[in-house]
Amino acid sequence: MAIEHHDYDVLVLGSGGSGLRAAIAAAEAGARTGLVCKSLLGKAHTVMAEGGLAAALGNVAPEDGWTTHFQDTMFGGKYLNNWRMAELHAKEAPDRARELEHWGAIFDRTPDRRMSQRAFGGHTYKRLVHIGDRTGLEMIRTLQDKTVHSDVDVFMETTITKLIKDGDRVVGCFGYRRATGEQITFSAKALVLATGGSGRIYRITSNSQDCTGDGYSLAYEAGAEMVDMEFVQFHPTGMVYPPGVAGLLVTEAVRGEGGILRNALGERFMEKYDPKRMELSTRDVVARSIYTEVKEGRGTPHGGAFLDVSHLDSDYVKRKLPSMYDQFLELAGVDITKEPMQVGPTCHYFMGGIKVDADTGATRVPGLFSTGEASGGMNGANRLGGNSLGDLLVFGRRAGFGAAEAAAQVGSVSLPQEEISAAQAEVAHFLSRSDGDNAENPFLMHRELQTIMGDGVGIFRDKEGLTQAIDRLESLQGRVENLKAPSDRLDYNPGWQLCREVKNMLNVSLMVARAALMREESRGGHSRLDHTAYSDYWGAHNIVIHRESEHDMTLTPTPVLTRDELVELVEARKEAEKAA
Amino acid sequence: MSETLTAGGTRKLQIWRGDLTSGQLVDYELETEPGMVVLDAVLEIQRSQAPDLAVRWNCKAAKCGSCSAEINGKPRLMCKTRLDHLPADEPITVEPMRAFPLIRDLVTDVSWNYRVNEQITPFTPRENLREGVDVLNGDFLIDQSETDRISEFRKCIECFMCQDVCHILRDHRMHNRYYGPRFMMRIASLDMHPLDGVDRLDQIADEGGIGLCNITKCCTEVCPENIHITDNAIIPMKERVVDQRHDPILKILGRTPNKGRSKPPARSATPEL
Ligand SMILES: Cc1cc2nc3c(=O)[nH]c(=O)nc-3n(C[C@H](O)[C@H](O)[C@H](O)COP(=O)(O)OP(=O)(O)OC[C@H]3O[C@@H](n4cnc5c(N)ncnc54)[C@H](O)[C@@H]3O)c2cc1C
Ligand code: SF4
Ligand code: SF4
Ligand code: FES
């Protein structure tokens, strides 16, 4: 039976900020462009971003400039960042923010009527362009409208399960329409993975349902390299109660506006961990502090810390934190102007991802590009708040142009039939494999995977826990071929979708756990109880992962990509930190 | 905690199951957890009792507008509606939105909304922006008060529940004559942008069909973002249409486009459902 097929110069997977920006750029460069996403347009994970977009415009603090933003990003990333990415981001984010405004985005203003900027952890100056606490929505809506009026064909609710290669080159992909289950193939001269992160490998996460690491897994299977996968950002403040909303984000702006953290004994415990910066210490430090308080028996009734803004004027709280006020009132029955919230760490962001060329987003696989949270390098060991939204625009645009340029060098491409057949067989298998006793339910296996990751690969790690987790993940790997959707319908079948997603999440979990075991030090988002200090060796190396053969995941320590002309800036920052 | 969350207990749900050809409410019962929202209950039923139950969701944080449904007959976000805020003595009914074609169970085909959006001429800066007044070194100059006014409309998460409840679409099925409140408001937000240079008046009145709205305010009532769709977006635009299109003097003079704005190219009619 013939299946639906489309041909493009550039095909972008993902309609978050980075995917939309890439598609706009590719179309602008004259490429015939398609965009595919699992969800509906305008509903990607990016829509949840709250705080803002970091760009050294200097509207509020005229002293700010790209060099300081670059230094802040490097310091935040504990110097493991790809220097060129941090440089390009700092230099280009201001233009990308202005461009959004020229496309119709509306941001909060300064008294002299320019884009306003707010303070955030780790940024030397007030730097985050924002609108209230819904900056991601503004960004998505603006890019969505720009995309719709650019020459881009959009395929919504379409799930891609395999990249298709012809020899060394990625030439397209295979998937199905969620509403009907009908199969679909795309051929493309260049393909951009803008598929976001993989927060769903943890049970407690701020991430949306989309975030199952599909891009990481597809790229890895197609031969791309992954970098920094051990660095997962746990945001210090997620909701802990009621159970159904555990993990839901409580924005950093709550602490920015003066929120105070206390343990069950009423102690303001950040005094112990970072007396200088207190509640506004970096995310990794605050997350570890809360975790430690709970672990040592000083947690709140629901196993978190108290976060209190009730000492602030109640109208001020409602004006500055409207969605937090609503969220707690509606979902937890807590009026935050009168009583404290209970919060605890939640999996939030993947610093690691597909290894790309900073300037073009190219991976090492011809025809394959990546951008956004799906790609790695920009943030090193820890991301500063606000640096993701800037990243999406700067590198989304670069990947779109990069892909369009690469596509222009290629004649026509076609999809080898045996690759299509293999992809078809895989999705069919999830539906139709015979029911033995060993059929695995994807919902249950997903829970199991989340338990393993929470137990052994959480905020604090050690050799024993990691080794156990890896063993357990490897045993899951033996069972993953037995995944079977509990229903065999084709149309809108969530269990079927989850089968492939669980496979992807398992790949990602193994990368995270193995890299975490290899990195014998503590740095940024990675804390080892058995190696608590920085190591000089690891401070100069990223862990790069690639697939040598089917079950051979190879990890290689690789020197950090530095740049001669930036050495002075980096050294100056290191000196300043030492002096402080 | 000021409010003790009702701990657990069994609840009955009646979920609409079926497709365009047939369907009915099906009873389910489940053990609840404290603070559970309707989406939690539906997903739990999907996991343990009805693996083929079709439901659309993504953020589970009331931010993406995917999980709209009619709960006890009223459009609501499933992820923002707590079970213990609904009457305990009767089953909770969960049905798909009615203004759009059904795909299956709780999932509807909302693509018509996307086609309407494509018809709306996007933000286009005025041609005569003045340096130092409207723009400074590439930065737009906009007042916070103007931002605040438009910002209300831009809170929209496109849940399409206002579209679902508007009788012009829901009961009269005039999808080919009225854009619906969501898109009236979208045009209003473009129109109120101080630096936009497009005159969308004809579009509002003709393809948009603003005259069909008889200000029942049902749309405003269901908006999860509490946007004053009728008062702040639709009524001011209706007034402008009346003032500018039906003013006999302006008609004789040939209407001067608002704020020196240019008219967009002609569009096709309102999309069919
Ligand atoms: C609550 C919250 C608040 C945040 N606040 C901020 C903030 O204030 N500032 C900041 O800088 N960052 C913030 N972040 C982080 C930031 O929002 C994300 O890192 C960023 O949005 C990721 O965007 P993306 O374009 O890479 O991918 P995403 O927005 O995650 O989009 C991924 C896309 O890929 C598609 N996709 C995935 N797999 C497939 C597949 N197999 N087939 C087809 N399509 C697929 C999805 O459907 C989706 O469209 C926040 C994050 C959260 C959760
Ligand atoms: S006020 Fe107008 S747009 Fe809103 S529901 Fe009533 S008729 Fe529809
Ligand atoms: S205006 Fe309100 S009800 Fe209508 S789509 Fe937007 S958020 Fe939903
Ligand atoms: S799932 Fe996003 S609004 Fe409910």
Side-chain angles (χ1 to χ4, degrees), chain B residues 97-114:
Chain B
M97 288 194 284
R98 270 202 240 156
F100 311 112
L102 187 65
I103 294 180
R104 188 161 69 79
D105 300 343
L106 299 176
V107 181
T108 54
D109 176 0
V110 292
S111 58
W112 172 78
N113 294 285
Y114 289 88

Side-chain angles (χ1 to χ4, degrees), chain A residues 159-236:
Chain A
T159 301
I160 298 303
T161 59
K162 189 173 165 43
L163 301 183
I164 294 188
K165 286 176 83 175
D166 187 2
D168 286 346
R169 190 176 185 88
V170 166
V171 290
C173 59
F174 169 92
Y176 57 85
R177 300 240 188 210
R178 291 179 73 174
T180 57
E182 283 161 13
Q183 299 179 350
I184 185 165
T185 53
F186 296 90
S187 50
K189 294 173 186 168
L191 193 141
V192 182
L193 287 170
T195 41
S198 192
R200 293 257 152 198
I201 62 174
Y202 294 92
R203 197 175 63 79
I204 305 295
T205 177
S206 64
N207 283 199
S208 71
Q209 192 200 15
D210 267 355
C211 302
T212 52
D214 297 5
Y216 299 147
S217 178
L218 297 181
Y220 169 73
E221 288 175 359
E225 290 174 324
M226 312 294 298
V227 66
D228 295 338
M229 291 304 285
E230 66 275 33
F231 296 110
V232 176
Q233 181 165 75
F234 289 86
H235 196 289

